[in-house]
Amino acid sequence: MSADKKIKAIKKETEHSSLIVRWVIIVALTIVVSFTIFSIVIYSTVSQQSISQQKETSQKVVTNLDSRLNTIDSELQIANVVPALSPSTRDVLKSGANSVIRKPKDVSSAFSDDLLSSVTNPDVLVAVYNKHNEIVFSNGMGTPKLKKFKADTKFQKQTVKGKQILVTYSKVISSRSGKVTGYIVVLNKMTYYNKLMHNLLIWMLVISVAAIIIFTIIAFLVVRDVVDPINQISAVAREVNNDPNSEVRIQDLHRHDELEELAESFNSMLDRMQRYIVQQKEFVSDVSHELRTPVAVIEGHLNMLKRWGKEDPEILDESIDASIQEADRMKHLIQEMLDLTRAEQINVQYPNKTAVVSDILRRVTGDMQMVHPDFNVQLDMEDLPEETKIQIYQGHFEQLLVILIDNGIKYSTDLKQINVSAGLTQDKVRIIVQDFGEGISQEDQDKIFNRFYRVDKARTREKGGNGLGLSIAQKLVTSYHGEISVKSVLGQGSQFIMEFPVISKKEALRLEKLDQKQVHGDRNDTQM
Ligand code: ADP
């Protein structure tokens, strides 16, 4: 895919992606909802506090008026209300509020009068009614109307032209007779309150809008920061899906977080997957190459037989023998290939098997000695405690030993001696298979564990080797968390060294129990 196409594909992906839009909407909605709730709480708290202050102001005015008016025993009327108010108030009422400002000396005592300051407050309108709802005193235009009310005092909030006002109704009760003589109505315009609430509302709106814009931008940037790498990952996935051999990988994200971890795992997964594909291809080509020779030999012999050999018992015999030998080699090769593939699935098949090292060593060396009586197969277990166990399936341990001893025998020269030794080193069991044969050069030592690798192809073929034994051995050993290595001097001999983690008695017991459970479970499964 060209770079241009790639960019287009990524662009298309981003266009289709609703993740950013969805996240930004969610964040914006969350902010709107939380700011609305927050604003309502703040607004109503401030409103309640201010209203109660305003109520206090109104109540003060009512109390001041009432303290003068409750001295009147009879029903309230202009004649007794005005004198009841202070002389200073009377002066002011006579000459108007402006004169108070113009003649400060005359009215200095009037300002000390609480009542006066109440009735001259431009925010507060006061009216006094008699029992027949007739106005007997007021301090200005637009005095509040009297409405029926039950309690002694009643506060009522009203909205006039979009502004809140507070009207207080109070009964005037004569202190001497205890009878209702009239009513006081106080209208508080609450200018300060209305201004405060108006400003608060404006500020809240401004802050909310600013917050929504700022947080939405932040949300967009944060989400884009997350979505961009995801888009990159999916673009790479798509590309590899289209072309499994593609070398495209996710670039280093430089972010040290889970996404970088994901990208790294994704890249190594792709590497591994492609390595498997290559290995698989190599395996198929190796196998077909290996099978070609025996098939060609068999074919050659059959052709020879067809042409000349049918009547010639000597050729017939030779060809049949050679064909049987090649067929046998093929069978052997197929068996080894099967072993190699199985060696890769050990963890699944035999997870809890254990083996007593000394028992198996004794058995295998004994068997090999019997099969090869011309060889001396020595076993040295001086440094190995008798009950030492390792985590391995017995059959595999035997197979490993057979591969190594068999190689020692196959590639021996004059000295027909194989030494097998085992010992315990700290937490590992070390098993060494030593021969005194032809040895392996330093260069070949690195390759002998590769599949189908043989130092001398023709000679090895003569000895029946396919170049698979050590690959199987290495796969088996590493599957059981062990290590295998070689030390060799050309012309002198080789040492193959295997190391396995030793397991404690407790661990061995635990594994054996698990194994029994598994065997039991498998048996039940097959019975069902
Ligand atoms: P093969 O079935 O051919 O023996 P292996 O994988 O076991 O396959 O060995 C790979 C090659 O390593 C052999 O072909 C041989 O050349 C060399 N090799 C293995 N073991 C020994 C040994 N003990 N001494 C010398 N060469 C060895």
Side-chain angles (χ1 to χ4, degrees):
M1 203 190 266
S2 71
D4 198 33
K5 262 187 185 171
K6 221 183 281 174
I7 292 165
K8 266 187 197 162
I10 293 171
K11 256 190 189 167
K12 201 174 163 195
E13 191 63 13
T14 326
E15 275 166 25
H16 285 208
S17 148
S18 59
L19 205 57
I20 292 184
V21 180
R22 248 184 286 165
W23 268 96
V24 171
I25 290 175
I26 289 171
V27 170
L29 275 179
T30 313
I31 295 165
V32 169
V33 170
S34 35
F35 259 83
T36 310
I37 294 169
F38 179 72
S39 302
I40 290 172
V41 170
I42 296 275
Y43 191 87
S44 60
T45 311
V46 173
S47 167
Q48 268 172 17
Q49 285 284 324
S50 304
I51 286 280
S52 68
Q53 266 176 13
Q54 296 298 329
K55 272 185 183 168
E56 252 174 53
T57 310
S58 297
Q59 182 64 54
K60 225 181 206 168
V61 175
V62 170
T63 315
N64 280 336
L65 280 168
D66 188 56
S67 68
R68 307 294 168 100
L69 299 176
N70 66 10
T71 53
I72 303 164
D73 291 342
S74 58
E75 196 181 315
L76 299 183
Q77 41 191 281
I78 298 171
N80 55 18
V81 166
V82 176
L85 301 172
S86 73
S88 50
T89 310
R90 202 164 30 195
D91 289 345
V92 174
L93 289 173
K94 266 184 205 158
S95 50
N98 288 346
S99 59
V100 175
I101 303 158
R102 262 183 253 126
K103 291 183 233 165
K105 252 189 187 174
D106 293 348
V107 291
S108 58
S109 61
F111 276 106
S112 65
D113 191 322
D114 273 353
L115 179 61
L116 182 66
S117 64
S118 303
V119 295
T120 54
N121 182 349
D123 222 22
V124 178
L125 293 176
V126 177
V128 179
Y129 287 86
N130 65 13
K131 280 181 77 177
H132 310 289
N133 282 5
E134 290 160 351
I135 202 155
V136 291
F137 174 81
S138 81
N139 71 340
M141 297 286 286
T143 42
K145 291 206 168 63
L146 177 64
K147 277 187 194 162
K148 277 190 179 167
F149 63 101
K150 274 184 182 165
D152 286 351
T153 308
K154 181 190 174 188
F155 295 98
Q156 198 177 54
K157 222 165 74 175
Q158 294 171 14
T159 309
V160 179
K161 288 183 194 156
K163 296 206 165 144
Q164 299 278 317
I165 57 163
L166 179 70
V167 187
T168 314
Y169 303 95
S170 181
K171 288 175 182 163
V172 181
I173 298 165
S174 160
S175 54
R176 221 171 288 163
S177 65
K179 284 184 181 164
V180 176
T181 55
Y183 305 96
I184 300 167
V185 184
V186 173
L187 186 150
N188 189 343
K189 288 188 200 159
M190 303 199 291
T191 315
Y192 173 73
Y193 167 84
N194 282 312
K195 220 180 203 169
L196 176 75
M197 296 324 282
H198 177 73
N199 284 347
L200 190 63
L201 201 67
I202 299 262
W203 272 111
M204 276 176 171
L205 280 174
V206 170
I207 291 172
S208 301
V209 171
I212 289 169
I213 293 171
I214 291 170
F215 281 110
T216 307
I217 291 171
I218 292 174
F220 173 76
L221 293 176
V222 170
V223 178
R224 198 186 57 177
D225 188 47
V226 174
V227 171
D228 274 358
I230 294 177
N231 282 338
Q232 231 189 91
I233 295 172
S234 68
V236 171
R238 236 174 308 127
E239 174 113 21
V240 177
N241 197 20
N242 291 337
D243 172 15
N245 293 322
S246 167
E247 303 232 312
V248 67
R249 293 288 181 272
I250 302 155
Q251 305 293 315
D252 195 351
L253 299 175
H254 299 292
R255 43 190 301 146
H256 308 294
D257 60 4
E258 288 86 346
L259 280 171
E260 185 171 322
E261 228 174 84
L262 173 69
E264 278 168 10
S265 322
F266 192 80
N267 280 345
S268 55
M269 185 191 79
L270 290 181
D271 289 344
R272 200 164 165 179
M273 190 190 83
Q274 287 180 343
R275 237 184 359 253
Y276 275 139
I277 297 174
V278 172
Q279 277 174 6
Q280 203 69 29
K281 275 186 191 160
E282 277 174 11
F283 188 69
V284 172
S285 98
D286 285 350
V287 168
S288 35
H289 182 81
E290 291 303 321
L291 285 175
R292 204 173 291 148
T293 317
V295 171
V297 173
I298 293 173
E299 194 185 20
H301 281 290
L302 288 177
N303 279 333
M304 198 162 73
L305 278 181
K306 195 177 174 193
R307 267 185 235 152
W308 310 291
K310 268 183 267 178
E311 273 81 48
D312 186 340
E314 207 177 307
I315 293 180
L316 191 65
D317 254 12
E318 194 191 315
S319 292
I320 287 174
D321 279 352
S323 298
I324 288 174
Q325 204 184 340
E326 288 305 320
D328 195 50
R329 195 192 298 280
M330 261 161 69
K331 197 173 82 184
H332 190 65
L333 178 67
I334 289 165
Q335 181 56 47
E336 281 196 324
M337 285 188 309
L338 270 176
D339 285 348
L340 188 66
T341 14
R342 279 183 194 144
E344 284 164 7
Q345 299 164 4
I346 279 158
N347 286 352
V348 188
Q349 281 181 324
Y350 307 99
N352 308 313
K353 297 282 183 194
T354 58
V356 178
V357 180
S358 53
D359 286 356
I360 313 271
L361 283 174
R362 249 182 237 117
R363 193 161 60 234
V364 174
T365 48
D367 288 352
M368 293 306 272
Q369 180 67 79
M370 221 156 58
V371 181
H372 301 279
D374 49 332
F375 273 82
N376 179 18
V377 183
Q378 283 276 338
L379 177 61
D380 168 15
M381 295 194 294
E382 245 175 52
D383 298 328
L384 184 78
E386 191 54 34
E387 284 306 308
T388 309
K389 283 185 180 177
I390 57 174
Q391 189 177 352
I392 193 168
Y393 169 56
Q394 280 191 14
H396 286 147
F397 191 30
E398 286 169 3
Q399 193 179 2
L400 278 170
L401 292 168
V402 169
I403 290 172
L404 296 184
I405 298 173
D406 198 45
N407 275 353
I409 290 171
K410 247 191 319 198
Y411 303 108
S412 66
T413 45
D414 299 336
L415 189 56
K416 301 208 174 302
Q417 166 98 25
I418 304 289
N419 288 350
V420 179
S421 64
L424 199 61
T425 61
Q426 280 186 335
D427 52 353
K428 285 187 175 153
V429 177
R430 178 181 285 173
I431 299 140
I432 303 173
V433 178
Q434 184 179 20
D435 67 69
F436 303 92
E438 57 194 53
I440 309 156
S441 72
Q442 193 66 41
E443 197 193 329
D444 285 325
Q445 283 175 29
D446 299 333
K447 300 177 189 160
I448 50 170
F449 293 99
N450 293 348
R451 210 171 42 210
F452 296 114
Y453 186 81
R454 282 151 284 186
V455 175
D456 180 341
K457 267 206 167 173
R459 276 194 56 209
T460 311
R461 196 174 143 72
E462 252 170 50
K463 294 178 183 182
N466 295 313
L468 283 177
L470 288 178
S471 320
I472 297 170
Q474 193 183 41
K475 285 248 155 61
L476 283 174
V477 171
T478 44
S479 294
Y480 287 111
H481 312 292
E483 280 169 31
I484 184 166
S485 58
V486 62
K487 276 186 194 164
S488 182
V489 178
L490 207 56
Q492 288 187 20
S494 315
Q495 270 190 351
F496 282 86
I497 303 144
M498 294 190 289
E499 281 189 329
F500 291 99
V502 67
I503 50 170
S504 64
K505 274 188 184 156
K506 209 170 139 194
E507 179 64 6
L509 219 69
R510 189 184 73 84
L511 289 170
E512 275 153 25
K513 267 187 195 157
L514 281 174
D515 186 51
Q516 270 166 12
K517 246 190 221 168
Q518 196 191 13
V519 171
H520 196 67
D522 287 350
R523 231 179 263 150
N524 283 352
D525 283 350
T526 45
Q527 275 169 10
M528 272 163 76

